[in-house]
Amino acid sequence: MTIPAAPPPWPGRLGGLGLGGDIGTMLAERGMAELKVGTKLSDDVRQAAVGNSRLRILRPGNMATMDFVQDRINLIVDGDGTIIEIRCG
């Protein structure tokens, strides 16, 4: 068994292509094209995430499952609710 020297890069990093496609396109298709790193979460986005398995908001200290869902959007926010990272999976 060979162990790689470094882990592979995370799919879907900012502006990158993940297995689910371009994150910007995924956001636009869901009517959320205005979401950008550095913006605060709106009440509309918070409501959209409730009970939605394809949109997940991860706050500091939240636990998240390690399953990969190629068309799920993860919004990683800081303690103030500002988006610090957007990725798929």
Side-chain angles (χ1 to χ4, degrees):
M1 178 167 110
T2 347
I3 299 174
W10 284 83
R13 284 284 183 185
L14 299 175
L17 295 176
L19 295 177
D22 178 63
I23 291 176
T25 302
M26 290 172 65
L27 289 170
E29 288 172 350
R30 296 170 189 185
M32 295 184 277
E34 77 283 353
L35 288 179
K36 306 270 187 272
V37 171
T39 60
K40 287 220 179 236
L41 287 178
S42 67
D43 290 337
D44 291 339
V45 174
R46 285 187 184 95
Q47 279 298 97
V50 173
N52 187 340
S53 64
R54 297 297 183 241
L55 176 63
R56 180 164 64 173
I57 299 171
L58 298 171
R59 295 174 177 82
N62 280 157
M63 292 176 46
T65 59
M66 296 301 292
D67 62 324
F68 183 80
V69 178
Q70 70 183 26
D71 63 341
R72 178 172 52 204
I73 296 172
N74 293 301
L75 301 175
I76 293 78
V77 299
D78 65 11
D80 296 326
T82 302
I83 300 170
I84 57 174
E85 187 176 0
I86 302 172
R87 63 178 183 233
C88 65

